[in-house]
Amino acid sequence: MENKVSGSLVCVGLGITLGAHITPAAMNQIVEADIVFVAASNGIVEKWVESLNANCVSLQKYYSETKPRKITYLEMQNVLLENVRNGKRVCGAFYGHPCVFAQAPRKAVQQAKKEGFEAYIEPGISAEACLYADLAIDPGQKGLVQYETSQFMGYKRNLDTAAYLILWQIGLAGDIASNSFNTDTRKLQMLVDKLFRSYPLDHEVIIYEARVLPTDRVRVDRVRLSKLPNAELSMISTLVVPPATRLIDITDKPMSNRLNKE
Protein backbone atom coordinates (compact mmCIF):
# COMPACT_ATOMS: atom_id res chain seq x y z
CA MET A 1 0.00 0.00 0.00
CA GLU A 2 1.30 3.44 -0.94
CA ASN A 3 2.11 5.69 2.02
CA LYS A 4 0.27 8.95 1.69
CA VAL A 5 1.96 12.00 3.20
CA SER A 6 -0.56 14.31 4.84
CA GLY A 7 0.08 17.66 6.42
CA SER A 8 -1.56 19.04 9.53
CA LEU A 9 -2.25 22.40 11.10
CA VAL A 10 -2.53 23.57 14.67
CA CYS A 11 -2.88 27.23 15.59
CA VAL A 12 -1.79 27.99 19.13
CA GLY A 13 -2.16 30.96 21.44
CA LEU A 14 1.01 32.54 22.82
CA GLY A 15 -0.98 34.28 25.53
CA ILE A 16 -0.48 37.94 26.39
CA THR A 17 2.61 38.09 28.62
CA LEU A 18 5.70 36.56 27.02
CA GLY A 19 6.42 33.03 28.23
CA ALA A 20 3.97 33.22 31.12
CA HIS A 21 0.63 32.66 29.41
CA ILE A 22 1.33 29.84 26.98
CA THR A 23 0.11 26.34 27.84
CA PRO A 24 2.44 23.31 27.83
CA ALA A 25 0.30 21.83 25.02
CA ALA A 26 0.76 24.91 22.84
CA MET A 27 4.50 25.06 23.54
CA ASN A 28 4.87 21.41 22.60
CA GLN A 29 3.16 22.04 19.26
CA ILE A 30 5.67 24.80 18.49
CA VAL A 31 8.62 22.57 19.38
CA GLU A 32 7.40 19.56 17.38
CA ALA A 33 6.25 21.37 14.22
CA ASP A 34 8.05 21.11 10.88
CA ILE A 35 7.58 24.83 10.42
CA VAL A 36 6.19 27.59 12.66
CA PHE A 37 4.54 30.79 11.47
CA VAL A 38 4.39 33.41 14.19
CA ALA A 39 2.26 36.56 14.41
CA ALA A 40 3.29 38.83 17.26
CA SER A 41 3.88 42.54 16.82
CA ASN A 42 6.66 42.49 19.40
CA GLY A 43 9.97 41.30 17.96
CA ILE A 44 11.13 39.94 21.32
CA VAL A 45 8.12 37.60 21.38
CA GLU A 46 8.94 36.35 17.89
CA LYS A 47 12.58 35.72 18.88
CA TRP A 48 11.35 33.71 21.86
CA VAL A 49 9.23 31.51 19.57
CA GLU A 50 12.23 31.09 17.28
CA SER A 51 14.23 29.82 20.26
CA LEU A 52 11.73 26.96 20.54
CA ASN A 53 11.85 26.06 16.84
CA ALA A 54 14.55 27.37 14.50
CA ASN A 55 12.35 26.87 11.43
CA CYS A 56 10.25 29.90 12.31
CA VAL A 57 8.79 32.45 9.90
CA SER A 58 7.31 35.81 10.91
CA LEU A 59 3.88 36.72 9.53
CA GLN A 60 4.36 40.41 10.34
CA LYS A 61 5.82 41.00 6.87
CA TYR A 62 2.32 40.74 5.42
CA TYR A 63 1.18 43.88 7.23
CA SER A 64 1.40 47.19 5.39
CA GLU A 65 -0.20 50.58 6.03
CA THR A 66 -0.98 50.75 2.30
CA LYS A 67 -2.87 47.44 2.32
CA PRO A 68 -6.23 46.56 3.94
CA ARG A 69 -5.82 44.19 6.86
CA LYS A 70 -8.38 41.82 5.32
CA ILE A 71 -5.92 41.13 2.49
CA THR A 72 -3.13 40.60 5.02
CA TYR A 73 -5.24 38.03 6.89
CA LEU A 74 -5.97 36.19 3.64
CA GLU A 75 -2.27 36.07 2.78
CA MET A 76 -1.50 34.64 6.20
CA GLN A 77 -4.22 32.04 5.80
CA ASN A 78 -2.90 31.04 2.38
CA VAL A 79 0.71 30.56 3.49
CA LEU A 80 -0.39 28.32 6.36
CA LEU A 81 -2.53 26.18 4.06
CA GLU A 82 0.12 26.03 1.34
CA ASN A 83 2.55 24.38 3.72
CA VAL A 84 -0.10 21.99 5.04
CA ARG A 85 -0.88 20.90 1.47
CA ASN A 86 2.83 20.27 0.96
CA GLY A 87 2.67 17.65 3.70
CA LYS A 88 4.20 19.64 6.55
CA ARG A 89 3.22 19.64 10.19
CA VAL A 90 2.43 23.33 10.47
CA CYS A 91 2.05 25.40 13.62
CA GLY A 92 0.67 28.93 13.58
CA ALA A 93 1.59 30.80 16.77
CA PHE A 94 -0.55 33.86 17.45
CA TYR A 95 -0.46 36.55 20.12
CA GLY A 96 -3.11 36.03 22.79
CA HIS A 97 -5.83 33.57 21.78
CA PRO A 98 -6.00 32.31 18.15
CA CYS A 99 -9.76 32.93 17.95
CA VAL A 100 -9.79 36.40 19.49
CA PHE A 101 -9.41 39.18 16.90
CA ALA A 102 -7.38 36.86 14.71
CA GLN A 103 -9.13 35.94 11.48
CA ALA A 104 -6.32 34.04 9.75
CA PRO A 105 -5.88 31.10 12.17
CA ARG A 106 -9.59 30.49 12.58
CA LYS A 107 -10.28 30.45 8.83
CA ALA A 108 -7.14 28.47 8.04
CA VAL A 109 -8.16 25.72 10.46
CA GLN A 110 -11.69 25.67 9.05
CA GLN A 111 -10.39 25.35 5.49
CA ALA A 112 -7.83 22.70 6.39
CA LYS A 113 -10.58 20.59 7.96
CA LYS A 114 -12.71 20.96 4.82
CA GLU A 115 -9.81 19.64 2.77
CA GLY A 116 -9.47 16.60 5.02
CA PHE A 117 -6.38 17.59 6.99
CA GLU A 118 -6.02 17.27 10.74
CA ALA A 119 -6.43 20.78 12.12
CA TYR A 120 -7.35 22.30 15.45
CA ILE A 121 -6.74 25.23 17.81
CA GLU A 122 -4.89 25.33 21.15
CA PRO A 123 -6.10 28.28 23.28
CA GLY A 124 -3.94 30.84 25.02
CA ILE A 125 -4.66 33.33 27.79
CA SER A 126 -6.44 36.25 26.13
CA ALA A 127 -6.51 39.97 26.90
CA GLU A 128 -10.00 39.40 28.33
CA ALA A 129 -8.66 37.02 30.98
CA CYS A 130 -5.90 39.52 31.83
CA LEU A 131 -8.43 42.34 32.07
CA TYR A 132 -10.52 40.46 34.64
CA ALA A 133 -7.43 39.89 36.77
CA ASP A 134 -5.81 43.32 36.43
CA LEU A 135 -9.03 45.23 37.11
CA ALA A 136 -10.43 42.69 39.60
CA ILE A 137 -13.66 42.36 37.63
CA ASP A 138 -15.99 39.41 38.13
CA PRO A 139 -18.32 39.30 35.07
CA GLY A 140 -20.76 37.24 37.12
CA GLN A 141 -21.30 40.01 39.65
CA LYS A 142 -22.82 42.81 37.57
CA GLY A 143 -22.67 41.32 34.11
CA LEU A 144 -20.59 42.35 31.14
CA VAL A 145 -21.23 43.32 27.51
CA GLN A 146 -18.38 43.48 25.02
CA TYR A 147 -18.04 44.62 21.42
CA GLU A 148 -15.35 45.45 18.92
CA THR A 149 -15.27 49.26 18.94
CA SER A 150 -15.80 49.95 15.23
CA GLN A 151 -18.60 47.41 15.05
CA PHE A 152 -20.22 49.05 18.04
CA MET A 153 -20.00 52.42 16.29
CA GLY A 154 -21.30 51.22 12.94
CA TYR A 155 -24.20 49.03 13.99
CA LYS A 156 -27.11 49.11 16.41
CA ARG A 157 -26.02 47.24 19.52
CA ASN A 158 -27.79 46.87 22.86
CA LEU A 159 -26.40 48.51 25.99
CA ASP A 160 -26.98 47.68 29.64
CA THR A 161 -25.64 50.53 31.77
CA ALA A 162 -25.90 48.37 34.90
CA ALA A 163 -23.23 46.07 33.46
CA TYR A 164 -19.62 46.64 32.43
CA LEU A 165 -19.12 47.62 28.79
CA ILE A 166 -15.87 46.47 27.16
CA LEU A 167 -14.91 48.01 23.81
CA TRP A 168 -12.00 46.20 22.18
CA GLN A 169 -9.54 47.80 19.75
CA ILE A 170 -10.39 51.35 20.80
CA GLY A 171 -7.18 52.43 19.03
CA LEU A 172 -8.85 51.51 15.71
CA ALA A 173 -12.18 53.23 16.46
CA GLY A 174 -14.17 53.90 13.31
CA ASP A 175 -12.25 51.51 11.05
CA ILE A 176 -15.21 49.51 9.72
CA ALA A 177 -13.36 48.36 6.59
CA SER A 178 -10.17 47.24 8.41
CA ASN A 179 -8.05 49.59 6.32
CA SER A 180 -6.18 51.61 8.94
CA PHE A 181 -3.84 51.09 11.89
CA ASN A 182 -4.99 53.95 14.10
CA THR A 183 -7.86 56.31 14.85
CA ASP A 184 -8.20 60.08 15.32
CA THR A 185 -9.95 62.60 17.56
CA ARG A 186 -12.88 63.00 15.16
CA LYS A 187 -13.74 59.30 15.21
CA LEU A 188 -13.23 59.09 18.95
CA GLN A 189 -15.58 62.04 19.40
CA MET A 190 -18.18 60.14 17.35
CA LEU A 191 -17.79 57.25 19.78
CA VAL A 192 -18.18 59.58 22.75
CA ASP A 193 -21.31 61.07 21.18
CA LYS A 194 -22.81 57.60 20.89
CA LEU A 195 -21.91 56.66 24.45
CA PHE A 196 -23.30 59.98 25.69
CA ARG A 197 -26.79 58.72 24.81
CA SER A 198 -26.45 56.30 27.72
CA TYR A 199 -23.67 57.64 29.95
CA PRO A 200 -22.94 61.12 31.38
CA LEU A 201 -19.89 62.91 29.98
CA ASP A 202 -18.27 62.98 33.41
CA HIS A 203 -18.57 59.19 33.77
CA GLU A 204 -15.18 57.66 34.53
CA VAL A 205 -13.92 55.16 31.95
CA ILE A 206 -10.74 53.08 31.89
CA ILE A 207 -8.12 52.76 29.15
CA TYR A 208 -6.58 49.33 29.67
CA GLU A 209 -3.53 47.62 28.20
CA ALA A 210 -2.29 44.24 29.37
CA ARG A 211 1.38 43.46 30.04
CA VAL A 212 3.14 42.03 26.94
CA LEU A 213 6.66 41.67 28.36
CA PRO A 214 7.28 40.70 31.99
CA THR A 215 9.03 44.06 32.44
CA ASP A 216 6.03 46.05 31.15
CA ARG A 217 3.52 47.76 33.41
CA VAL A 218 -0.21 47.20 33.10
CA ARG A 219 -1.91 50.36 31.85
CA VAL A 220 -4.97 51.42 33.82
CA ASP A 221 -5.72 55.05 32.98
CA ARG A 222 -8.97 56.47 34.35
CA VAL A 223 -10.39 59.43 32.42
CA ARG A 224 -13.70 61.20 32.04
CA LEU A 225 -15.69 60.10 29.01
CA SER A 226 -15.53 63.64 27.64
CA LYS A 227 -11.71 63.48 27.62
CA LEU A 228 -11.46 60.26 25.62
CA PRO A 229 -10.91 61.87 22.17
CA ASN A 230 -7.60 63.34 23.37
CA ALA A 231 -6.30 60.19 25.05
CA GLU A 232 -3.15 58.46 23.82
CA LEU A 233 -4.11 55.06 22.40
CA SER A 234 -2.36 52.10 20.81
CA MET A 235 -3.32 48.99 18.87
CA ILE A 236 -3.73 47.04 22.14
CA SER A 237 -5.80 49.64 24.02
CA THR A 238 -9.17 48.55 25.39
CA LEU A 239 -11.91 50.78 26.77
CA VAL A 240 -13.69 49.67 29.94
CA VAL A 241 -16.89 51.50 30.83
CA PRO A 242 -17.95 50.68 34.42
CA PRO A 243 -21.66 50.45 35.30
CA ALA A 244 -23.44 53.79 35.52
CA THR A 245 -26.73 52.54 36.98
CA ARG A 246 -27.84 49.94 39.50
CA LEU A 247 -29.40 46.59 38.79
CA ILE A 248 -33.19 46.76 38.90
CA ASP A 249 -35.05 44.14 40.92
CA ILE A 250 -37.46 41.84 39.15
CA THR A 251 -40.90 43.46 39.11
CA ASP A 252 -42.67 40.30 38.05
CA LYS A 253 -43.66 39.08 41.49
CA PRO A 254 -44.80 35.60 40.41
CA MET A 255 -41.44 35.06 38.70
CA SER A 256 -39.63 36.38 41.76
CA ASN A 257 -41.57 33.98 43.96
CA ARG A 258 -40.71 31.03 41.76
CA LEU A 259 -37.02 31.93 41.84
CA ASN A 260 -37.07 32.17 45.62
CA LYS A 261 -38.72 28.74 45.92
CA GLU A 262 -36.02 27.17 43.76
Side-chain angles (χ1 to χ4, degrees):
M1 181 181 294
E2 182 182 356
N3 291 325
K4 187 176 181 180
V5 177
S6 178
S8 64
L9 172 64
V10 57
C11 289
V12 306
L14 295 171
I16 300 299
T17 302
L18 172 62
H21 291 168
I22 186 171
T23 66
M27 188 178 294
N28 182 66
Q29 290 296 332
I30 293 174
V31 172
E32 297 296 329
D34 294 327
I35 185 169
V36 178
F37 292 93
V38 57
S41 58
N42 190 296
I44 297 177
V45 175
E46 295 200 344
K47 285 294 184 181
W48 182 79
V49 174
E50 188 177 347
S51 72
L52 299 175
N53 190 319
N55 195 15
C56 182
V57 180
S58 174
L59 293 173
Q60 293 300 121
K61 62 184 178 182
Y62 293 106
Y63 283 106
S64 171
E65 292 191 2
T66 61
K67 179 173 60 177
R69 292 198 308 282
K70 289 181 179 179
I71 294 178
T72 295
Y73 301 151
L74 181 60
E75 291 171 339
M76 291 179 175
Q77 175 184 339
N78 288 340
V79 74
L80 290 170
L81 290 169
E82 178 183 354
N83 280 267
V84 172
R85 293 168 185 144
N86 287 337
K88 294 181 180 179
R89 182 176 177 179
V90 179
C91 177
F94 293 83
Y95 171 72
H97 191 298
C99 285
V100 180
F101 300 108
Q103 177 177 305
R106 178 170 50 83
K107 289 198 171 183
V109 167
Q110 290 174 346
Q111 183 60 36
K113 286 182 176 180
K114 286 182 180 179
E115 296 181 19
F117 295 104
E118 179 185 2
Y120 64 97
I121 290 172
E122 281 287 353
I125 291 181
S126 68
E128 180 184 5
C130 294
L131 184 151
Y132 293 154
D134 292 331
L135 300 183
I137 291 176
D138 177 2
Q141 186 178 33
K142 294 186 177 180
L144 183 145
V145 180
Q146 53 183 316
Y147 300 112
E148 195 278 332
T149 301
S150 297
Q151 185 190 83
F152 173 77
M153 295 172 67
Y155 297 90
K156 182 178 180 181
R157 307 309 302 258
N158 293 326
L159 277 179
D160 179 358
T161 57
Y164 283 91
L165 171 65
I166 311 296
L167 293 179
W168 300 101
Q169 297 186 321
I170 185 71
L172 299 175
D175 182 30
I176 296 291
S178 298
N179 289 330
S180 67
F181 289 82
N182 51 49
T183 187
D184 54 44
T185 55
R186 182 184 66 86
K187 293 175 181 176
L188 288 170
Q189 186 59 55
M190 293 172 64
L191 172 61
V192 170
D193 292 343
K194 182 167 185 176
L195 290 171
F196 180 48
R197 301 172 192 171
S198 304
Y199 300 90
L201 288 176
D202 64 352
H203 189 60
E204 187 178 79
V205 299
I206 302 168
I207 299 171
Y208 169 77
E209 293 178 10
R211 182 187 294 110
V212 176
L213 300 179
T215 54
D216 290 341
R217 297 187 66 179
V218 175
R219 180 183 180 185
V220 181
D221 289 348
R222 301 177 187 274
V223 300
R224 301 298 179 188
L225 179 59
S226 61
K227 302 296 184 182
L228 183 61
N230 297 317
E232 183 178 340
L233 302 172
S234 73
M235 291 278 287
I236 64 171
S237 298
T238 299
L239 185 69
V240 180
V241 184
T245 58
R246 293 186 177 185
L247 290 169
I248 300 175
D249 292 336
I250 295 175
T251 56
D252 182 349
K253 296 302 181 181
M255 172 63 76
S256 180
N257 292 335
R258 291 201 300 273
L259 288 172
N260 288 331
K261 289 180 179 179
E262 292 178 0

